[in-house]
Amino acid sequence: MTLASRSTDAQPLSYSWLLTARRSDLAHFRRLAKLAMREWDQEDAVTEVVLHGVTELLANVARHVPDPRCRLELFLEEDAVRVTVTDSSAALPRITLPDWSAEEGRGLWLLREMADGIGFEPTADGKRVWVRVGTR
């Protein structure tokens, strides 16, 4: 189900998983991300936003991408943790003001408000979506 790797360089540390995004597996990847945050000695506030990012980015792949195979990566940078999900869809996300009465459609907007950076870019095989959480 997963392939995990840890970089051998001193900085940045990283973890990477090849996976099929399913809603039923979100808790598993949140646990793995939480273990990484604990290993990297991150504060609870940073961990909370990172876990929200993992959940939201993988849930969006499960919900919107026809082929839900993707790569989840966590990077410890000098002053931030970055969560990146790469998938095979060329459709870039749109972050808009949510309809607060709707049951869906506000995840990326909330994540943008919580994180220190969010972005996306096309790749040769689809797109990469990332969230940056400052470690202060």
Side-chain angles (χ1 to χ4, degrees):
M1 178 162 114
T2 64
L3 169 69
S5 64
R6 180 175 183 209
S7 69
T8 57
D9 301 329
Q11 288 290 340
L13 292 175
S14 66
Y15 285 96
S16 178
W17 298 273
L18 296 173
L19 63 116
T20 300
R22 294 184 201 73
R23 287 179 181 232
S24 60
D25 292 335
L26 294 179
H28 172 72
F29 289 102
R30 284 176 57 90
R31 281 190 297 276
L32 293 174
K34 189 169 187 172
L35 289 171
M37 296 302 98
R38 193 173 299 148
E39 178 183 328
W40 294 341
D41 198 29
Q42 295 303 304
E43 295 179 7
D44 290 344
V46 172
T47 298
E48 183 179 322
V49 178
V50 166
L51 297 181
H52 184 74
V54 167
T55 302
E56 182 62 26
L57 298 185
L58 290 179
N60 282 349
V61 173
R63 184 179 306 123
H64 300 294
V65 177
D67 179 359
R69 291 178 292 178
C70 62
R71 176 183 300 273
L72 167 65
E73 296 173 289
L74 301 176
F75 299 94
L76 178 61
E77 299 172 339
E78 186 173 320
D79 61 348
V81 175
R82 187 167 31 98
V83 179
T84 302
V85 172
T86 306
D87 65 52
S88 63
S89 173
L92 297 177
R94 289 182 5 177
I95 302 174
T96 59
L97 187 62
D99 174 358
W100 295 109
S101 63
E103 292 187 24
E104 296 180 337
R106 60 183 149 269
L108 285 177
W109 185 88
L110 285 170
L111 191 55
R112 183 188 68 188
E113 296 301 306
M114 296 167 62
D116 294 298
I118 187 168
F120 41 85
E121 59 193 356
T123 65
D125 300 324
K127 71 175 168 301
R128 179 177 304 111
V129 182
W130 56 267
V131 175
R132 183 178 182 282
V133 183
T135 55
R136 296 160 191 81

